[in-house]
Amino acid sequence: MERRDFLKVSASIAALSSITACNTTSEDSEEVKELAPEEVTTMSSCNVNCKATCPLVITTVDGIITKVTPETTTIDSEDGFVIRQQRPCARGHSAKQKIYNPDRILHPLKRIGERGSGQFEQISWDQAFSEIGVKLKNIYDTYGSRSVFNLAGSSLGAIHSPTPINNLLNVMGGYTGLFSSMSFSQVEKIMPYMYGTRPYSSIVESKFSDLYLFFGFNPLETGASGAGYGFEWQHVKGDTPVICFDPRYTDSMLGREESHYFVRPGTDAALCEAMAHHLISTDQVDTSFLKEKCYGFWAEPEMPDPHNPSLTLPAVPYEECYEAHILGIKDGIAKTPEWGSKITGVPAETIREVANRLAQAKAPFVIAGWSIQRQLNGEDNIRAISTLSLMVGAVGKRGTTNGDMAFSEIATTNAFFVLPSVPANEKNAKVRMAAWPRAILDGENMTVIKDDIILPPDEIDSRGDGKLGANIKCAWVRGGNHLGQQGDTFKIAKELKDQTNVELIINIENHMSSTAMYSDYVLPEMTWYEQTDLPWSNLQSGSMPFVIATTGIPRIGDTKSTWEICEGIAKVLGIESEFSMGMTPTQVLEHGYQVLRMFHPELPSTLSEMQEKQIFKFANPCDDSESSAIRHCAMYEYVTNGGLLNTASGKIDIYSHKLRELAEKNQIPDYWRSTDYINPIAKYMVVPGGYEDSDLVSNYPLQLVNFHAKSNVHSGYTNSQWLKDAMRRAAWVNPSDASGFKDGDQIVIESSFGKIQVEARVTQRVMPGVISYGQGFKFTPVGDLDIGGNFNSLTSHTMTSTVAKGTGVNSNRVRIYKA
Ligand SMILES: Nc1nc2c(c(=O)[nH]1)N[C@H]1C(S)=C(S)[C@@H](COP(=O)(O)OP(=O)(O)OC[C@H]3O[C@@H](n4cnc5c(=O)[nH]c(N)nc54)[C@H](O)[C@@H]3O)O[C@H]1N2
Ligand SMILES: Nc1nc2c(c(=O)[nH]1)N[C@H]1C(S)=C(S)[C@@H](COP(=O)(O)OP(=O)(O)OC[C@H]3O[C@@H](n4cnc5c(=O)[nH]c(N)nc54)[C@H](O)[C@@H]3O)O[C@H]1N2
Ligand code: SF4
Ligand SMILES: [Mo]
């Protein structure tokens, strides 16, 4: 008997017993107790991509969830700060709503209406496997492997992941995959030009700090778990003052701040330049730090290349260095606080005051969220913030960071990347996550330099360039809602509707997402809660790494895992053993677990012992020790002990020769508004959709910027009625911009890309001239209006940032009016 059936039977028996129990004597009560419904508790986790991976204890009776509670594995013993209880947020607690939501997909579906119509018929798994097998093979034969795109999303388990799809497609001859993320592509790409790597401090490092300076950093809403980096920040913050620049007054403030200032979206680089001007003109820069550890703040002489002394590193003439830029030596524009104030909306006096505070602090923790780099000038926004920290010597010393988001220790992840898998096909190419929609019509012309694609080495020419050479003909989607989550949803939807573009869309999903609505086959996967796996701590989990052994509640519906789905298709194609490498999923997981143990021998010796233990938490204290400093403080080793960084100069490159060379190769795109594009030093630039975009200002008078809302994680949890009731989903409008409507009214937000209808929240908590709205709501087009209020119905994917070619969804101008 299947466990589920067994549970059902035992529950029915229990129900019967309770009726009989009315007439029983006390002697019978023992029997009644035995037959009571079986309450089962299961360790599970919330793997939605909020990057915290909280454990969840799920209690079921007869396979049906009755409770979702936090784990308590260390509550009576070691619970404290270093080893602590991992408490989920309101979203995690609403897991039951997510699992039983009516939009849950419980049977394989085949599209029968046009894409987007939502018309599907239920089919058997056998039919799904055989039809997909034939169609997939046909695409490989007709268009080649590069036209098969694996659009993997952000679901985070070990085996419960896109790995089985990679395996299947590698056996079939390869595929085009995705790399990087919508989260932090600009900062990830640009930091190595400055530091040779992407350094970051843990948030707990800030316990040694005496000032927080936030640029769009909102830890209590983006790191909401009761143990993650928001929790840690509150724990270590104490009385340390916080100064925050954000176009919105966020929940991270609410009295925790010393000062909060509105700043116009996309203008942080100008704000930093204006502060830099004040620091220079009041002689407050850390001269010895800039000379010893950094390169290009001032002029630099020609010298031998530190990595290869037989080559020469060219000079940096004074007019090209950072100081000259700030003083306006070349362009005649001194970046004074008054200059900065006009662009940023921050009063000049405030700019001076904050710059003074920064210079006077011993260990300022200068930190930016990632929204500021999800813009067309994102690389320079984050680099300007990092440069500001360098100017006051606030990098590499205890209590400091380098401007990037302070994320968590994730040492445990290393091992998971060595789960046994089919070797990657040597012909595989990759496109950036944010760039895939461009491959629908123009993949053939996407190149390394223009689009930052990754090609096999033998396809790269002497200039370092090469072409993708294929459009998407087949798209696999799993764990991502790419139609709604990437720029210009209306355009993507239109292109997907024409089946001569992408001929086959296979989507492995839990819910009827907007992307599923446009898919040809929607294959239901069981949720994380129903899976046996080994999820682990992630970027926003906090500094205590952990591994969770989930064992899964009974499955509902006729669902399968991604492994089972790919295995079914492989069987039809006669490549089952190549796909599975002769292993079962359990064996793959066991193997992965043993690799993990090689990194962490302290873990229980077998997977089943680990499953009994449920969670393993690794102590990772942040204290005075050298090892702790190296682990938690960005650039500590280099600043303390010196060394040669993997940058052009071998030091921290405020001026980057590598970027100068890259600029020479890149053509400035037609849509660009500024004469600057890729810059050797960080510069504020006027960008399309930015504050100073004069082409759009008159038609679209307001700036639009989104945030990652409390009520949802991207499009995950958006369907939970509890969360909808608890947290209002509305566009924030300053009273001065609310003309013709009032709080609670439905309004239309319209950009040059599309329009959406949403509720207005009229509030002083958003800057005048700025509309701020959460992202992740379901694309629901009615004609040319999206009544679901999906943010990306207003954004672009054809315009990209400069170096990373990352998403510019936050560089946006709109008009608003009553619906
Ligand atoms: N305008 C704008 N757009 C943005 C952002 C922004 O700030 N502004 N943020 C960007 C960022 S940072 C990110 S990370 C992306 C996120 O974008 P996505 O990675 O697309 O994330 P989700 O919207 O959460 O979509 C996840 C999908 O996977 C499904 N899913 C969840 N778990 C499972 C599972 O176990 N198995 C399967 N098969 N499916 C599952 C969910 O039902 C959901 O449809 O969005 C980006 N898009
Ligand atoms: N609740 C919740 N938490 C999440 C997620 C979620 O969807 N929901 N997603 C997770 C994921 S995948 C990611 S990548 C992270 C995202 O983390 P972030 O990208 O840091 O989060 P955002 O909310 O987009 O932006 C943070 C703040 O920046 C402000 N801001 C926007 N533009 C600017 C600007 O130009 N200048 C300044 N100074 N501030 C600006 C916004 O108003 C917002 O308050 O969050 C993670 N956590
Ligand atoms: S903080 Fe993130 S991972 Fe944790 S329960 Fe909430 S949504 Fe899930
Ligand atoms: Mo993200």
Side-chain angles (χ1 to χ4, degrees):
M1 189 188 291
E2 293 239 320
R3 179 178 163 71
R4 189 163 179 271
D5 296 336
F6 166 77
L7 288 169
K8 265 203 182 132
V9 173
S10 57
S12 332
I13 294 172
L16 201 64
S17 323
S18 60
I19 296 167
T20 343
C22 303
N23 296 326
T24 48
T25 61
S26 58
E27 291 98 271
D28 299 320
S29 60
E30 197 51 45
E31 191 194 347
V32 172
K33 211 169 153 197
E34 255 179 41
L35 292 173
E38 192 188 357
E39 196 176 71
V40 181
T41 59
T42 312
M43 181 55 71
S44 185
S45 81
C46 177
N47 291 3
V48 72
N49 178 23
C50 102
K51 299 183 165 63
T53 323
C54 299
L56 297 174
V57 176
I58 301 203
T59 304
T60 50
V61 174
D62 188 14
I64 304 298
I65 300 172
T66 52
K67 267 192 299 198
V68 178
T69 48
E71 61 92 10
T72 51
T73 56
T74 48
I75 200 135
D76 297 326
S77 51
E78 305 154 273
D79 191 38
F81 186 65
V82 174
I83 294 288
R84 61 177 172 268
Q85 185 193 20
Q86 293 290 125
R87 294 177 291 274
C89 76
R91 298 179 297 261
H93 277 107
S94 79
K96 179 177 169 183
Q97 288 241 323
K98 187 168 162 61
I99 298 174
Y100 299 139
N101 199 279
D103 76 349
R104 180 79 199 273
I105 304 159
L106 296 172
H107 303 275
L109 300 176
K110 179 181 178 182
R111 184 177 55 79
I112 46 174
E114 71 165 355
R115 285 187 183 154
S117 67
Q119 291 168 336
F120 293 92
E121 65 177 348
Q122 191 177 315
I123 57 172
S124 69
W125 279 108
D126 282 346
Q127 184 184 344
F129 293 154
S130 56
E131 288 185 13
I132 291 171
V134 171
K135 289 180 185 176
L136 188 59
K137 172 96 183 27
N138 192 29
I139 299 237
Y140 271 94
D141 292 346
T142 317
Y143 300 106
S145 63
R146 195 151 291 171
S147 67
V148 178
F149 273 60
N150 187 357
L151 306 181
S154 48
S155 191
L156 297 166
I159 193 159
H160 181 56
S161 70
T163 308
I165 306 177
N166 303 349
N167 288 354
L168 176 70
L169 301 184
N170 275 326
V171 173
M172 291 193 71
Y175 62 91
T176 301
L178 298 181
F179 76 101
S180 191
S181 65
M182 293 286 281
S183 312
F184 46 63
S185 54
Q186 281 91 320
V187 58
E188 176 184 56
K189 184 83 181 184
I190 207 68
M191 282 295 173
Y193 285 98
M194 271 187 111
Y195 294 98
T197 164
R198 183 187 175 190
Y200 54 88
S201 294
S202 315
I203 199 83
V204 283
E205 179 65 21
S206 69
K207 72 193 233 186
F208 298 114
S209 174
D210 58 347
L211 176 73
Y212 289 100
L213 181 55
F214 286 7
F215 293 87
F217 180 53
N218 183 15
L220 296 190
E221 289 179 273
T222 58
S225 97
Y229 80 147
F231 167 84
E232 288 188 335
W233 175 61
Q234 298 207 83
H235 187 91
V236 299
K237 177 189 165 297
D239 293 333
T240 308
V242 184
I243 300 174
C244 179
F245 290 102
D246 195 306
R248 255 181 356 123
Y249 182 73
T250 67
D251 283 11
S252 295
M253 301 298 105
L254 299 184
R256 292 175 191 87
E257 78 281 18
E258 179 191 282
S259 341
H260 168 272
Y261 303 106
F262 287 142
V263 60
R264 291 194 182 106
T267 65
D268 296 78
L271 180 60
C272 292
E273 288 177 19
M275 284 199 248
H277 192 281
H278 179 71
L279 292 175
I280 294 168
S281 52
T282 52
D283 207 9
Q284 295 192 83
V285 296
D286 188 335
T287 312
S288 56
F289 185 83
L290 287 174
K291 278 196 176 136
E292 281 166 32
K293 300 294 172 194
C294 307
Y295 178 89
F297 185 79
W298 292 288
E300 300 283 354
E302 183 182 291
M303 62 178 177
D305 183 329
H307 302 287
N308 183 352
S310 64
L311 301 173
T312 303
L313 194 69
V316 177
Y318 181 70
E319 63 270 22
E320 301 294 332
C321 76
Y322 197 70
E323 185 186 76
H325 167 66
I326 298 299
L327 298 178
I329 303 297
K330 199 168 156 189
D331 62 6
I333 303 169
K335 314 300 176 303
T336 61
E338 281 68 23
W339 166 88
S341 178
K342 278 195 199 124
I343 297 169
T344 61
V346 180
E349 208 34 55
T350 302
I351 295 177
R352 288 194 182 89
E353 251 172 63
V354 176
N356 288 339
R357 290 291 302 280
L358 185 65
Q360 285 152 15
K362 285 199 183 70
F365 202 75
V366 181
I367 180 166
W370 289 329
S371 241
I372 64 140
Q373 54 90 62
R374 234 174 267 116
Q375 305 192 1
L376 295 174
N377 54 356
E379 290 88 347
D380 279 9
N381 279 343
I382 185 72
R383 209 153 51 107
I385 292 168
S386 207
T387 304
L388 184 68
S389 315
L390 293 168
M391 285 179 69
V392 293
V395 173
K397 295 176 188 160
R398 295 307 312 256
T400 68
T401 180
N402 65 319
D404 194 357
M405 189 108 99
F407 34 97
S408 315
E409 182 61 52
I410 49 165
T412 44
T413 55
N414 301 340
F416 284 111
F417 294 121
V418 291
L419 269 187
S421 55
V422 172
N425 197 290
E426 57 193 25
K427 289 191 296 215
N428 287 357
K430 285 185 179 171
V431 301
R432 281 202 170 262
M433 174 78 95
W436 80 264
R438 300 206 297 281
I440 300 175
L441 295 185
D442 200 34
E444 286 182 349
N445 298 312
M446 289 175 81
T447 70
V448 175
I449 293 178
K450 181 167 65 70
D451 305 285
D452 202 36
I453 61 168
I454 298 176
L455 288 178
D458 63 350
E459 293 182 38
I460 306 278
D461 67 18
S462 57
R463 283 185 69 235
D465 210 356
K467 260 191 181 180
L468 187 65
N471 293 352
I472 310 179
K473 286 294 163 191
C474 167
W476 280 81
V477 183
R478 183 203 174 276
N481 184 18
H482 298 285
L483 174 69
Q485 291 303 117
Q486 256 118 59
D488 210 341
T489 310
F490 275 108
K491 181 170 185 280
I492 304 175
K494 187 169 164 229
E495 290 170 4
L496 292 183
K497 252 189 187 157
D498 179 349
Q499 290 173 57
T500 60
N501 295 329
V502 183
E503 293 181 8
L504 178 63
I505 307 177
I506 305 156
N507 196 333
I508 302 179
E509 249 297 353
N510 303 146
H511 297 273
M512 189 47 79
S513 68
S514 39
T515 313
M517 298 276 286
Y518 282 75
S519 300
D520 302 321
Y521 292 91
V522 184
L523 308 178
E525 181 164 32
M526 64 265 224
T527 59
W528 325 297
Y529 319 100
E530 295 153 290
Q531 300 260 0
T532 296
D533 208 339
L534 284 168
W536 62 94
S537 46
N538 202 302
L539 299 176
Q540 262 120 337
S541 300
S543 59
M544 176 189 76
F546 56 86
V547 183
I548 312 169
T550 67
T551 42
I553 61 169
R555 293 188 202 190
I556 61 166
D558 188 11
T559 58
K560 289 190 188 293
S561 68
T562 300
W563 181 283
E564 290 161 350
I565 292 169
C566 293
E567 193 174 40
I569 297 169
K571 249 186 210 161
V572 167
L573 295 168
I575 51 172
E576 186 194 353
S577 58
E578 291 96 321
F579 160 80
S580 68
M581 303 158 291
M583 296 169 94
T584 63
T586 311
Q587 287 167 331
V588 170
L589 208 54
E590 270 167 357
H591 188 288
Y593 181 70
Q594 290 309 330
V595 178
L596 182 63
R597 284 196 68 246
M598 283 161 56
F599 288 78
H600 299 287
E602 64 272 41
L603 283 164
S605 52
T606 63
L607 179 60
S608 57
E609 282 171 47
M610 176 63 213
Q611 284 166 338
E612 222 157 276
K613 185 164 176 64
Q614 299 183 324
I615 303 184
F616 195 94
K617 302 174 181 178
F618 299 85
N620 181 24
C622 181
D623 54 32
D624 291 334
S625 68
E626 181 81 359
S627 61
S628 194
I630 292 170
R631 206 154 173 173
H632 291 286
C633 179
M635 299 307 288
Y636 177 82
E637 261 187 303
Y638 168 72
V639 169
T640 312
N641 305 321
L644 190 66
L645 298 180
N646 189 23
T647 55
S649 75
K651 292 181 169 186
I652 299 173
D653 274 356
I654 290 177
Y655 178 103
S656 166
H657 285 289
K658 289 188 185 180
L659 286 171
R660 178 183 49 73
E661 284 166 15
L662 193 68
E664 284 159 14
K665 284 190 200 167
N666 265 262
Q667 266 192 342
I668 303 185
D670 299 341
Y671 56 76
W672 203 250
R673 302 280 198 266
S674 168
T675 46
D676 291 316
Y677 184 57
I678 293 179
N679 305 308
I681 51 170
K683 280 185 185 173
Y684 164 73
M685 286 182 286
V686 177
V687 294
Y691 172 62
E692 293 186 287
D693 179 359
S694 51
D695 290 23
L696 291 183
V697 167
S698 53
N699 274 338
Y700 302 99
L702 301 167
Q703 281 190 275
L704 173 75
V705 75
N706 69 215
F707 55 90
H708 288 227
K710 289 181 287 191
S711 68
N712 55 297
V713 175
H714 316 295
S715 59
Y717 288 117
T718 45
N719 50 16
S720 161
Q721 194 56 47
W722 287 357
L723 295 172
K724 274 187 204 162
D725 293 346
M727 290 172 254
R728 191 174 169 193
R729 294 172 182 172
W732 296 27
V733 185
N734 188 279
S736 61
D737 297 315
S739 134
F741 60 86
K742 57 183 188 324
D743 187 76
D745 281 352
Q746 290 287 313
I747 57 168
V748 173
I749 310 180
E750 185 172 345
S751 76
S752 56
F753 300 96
K755 51 186 181 184
I756 66 176
Q757 184 176 323
V758 294
E759 185 189 320
R761 173 180 177 185
V762 178
T763 170
Q764 296 285 1
R765 284 181 63 172
V766 66
M767 187 173 193
V770 178
I771 304 298
S772 192
Y773 179 52
Q775 58 90 26
F777 305 117
K778 191 168 178 177
F779 176 57
T780 315
V782 176
D784 64 354
L785 180 69
D786 173 5
I787 58 164
N790 168 44
F791 193 95
N792 285 318
S793 296
L794 302 168
T795 64
S796 160
H797 63 249
T798 37
M799 296 189 288
T800 66
S801 73
T802 55
V803 182
K805 314 300 177 196
T807 179
V809 289
N810 275 334
S811 301
N812 228 328
R813 298 201 68 100
V814 294
R815 55 176 169 242
I816 55 171
Y817 45 92
K818 192 164 193 272

